[in-house]
Amino acid sequence: ARAIKGVKDVQIALTLSDAGIVSRVEKALGADPMVGKIGIAVESEDGLVRLRSDQTNKDERTRAVELTKAVDGVKTVEDWMR
């Protein structure tokens, strides 16, 4: 596009859909040896991700939140795990 006369700048803005965010978070959680075998439900709404589980301890919850925060597109994480 920069080759077109009059174009001074090109910006690309990509936003992951909530389904894409959920998929990436589930993949990250599933690949982790500490939390991969735990049933953690993942929901996303406009980049706000909720994690739910009745089967986690404190260390597992902390790890799940850390992994989720590292996923592209995640803006906020709500820990609804117990």
Side-chain angles (χ1 to χ4, degrees), residues 2-82:
R2 289 186 182 136
I4 298 173
K5 186 176 180 175
V7 174
K8 295 179 182 179
D9 189 30
V10 176
Q11 295 182 0
I12 300 172
L14 298 175
T15 304
L16 282 175
S17 68
D18 286 317
I21 291 170
V22 168
S23 177
R24 287 180 179 209
V25 170
E26 289 175 340
K27 184 176 180 180
L29 295 175
D32 186 77
M34 180 184 279
V35 298
K37 302 288 187 209
I38 300 169
I40 298 176
V42 181
E43 302 170 4
S44 179
E45 183 177 335
D46 296 325
L48 181 146
V49 177
R50 288 179 201 89
L51 302 175
R52 299 176 194 259
S53 179
D54 293 333
Q55 307 171 26
T56 55
N57 63 40
K58 182 180 177 184
D59 291 337
E60 292 164 340
R61 288 191 300 273
T62 299
R63 180 67 178 154
V65 169
E66 288 172 353
L67 290 167
T68 301
K69 286 181 177 179
V71 172
D72 286 338
V74 174
K75 297 176 186 173
T76 307
V77 179
E78 290 184 352
D79 176 1
W80 291 21
M81 297 177 285
R82 309 186 250 160

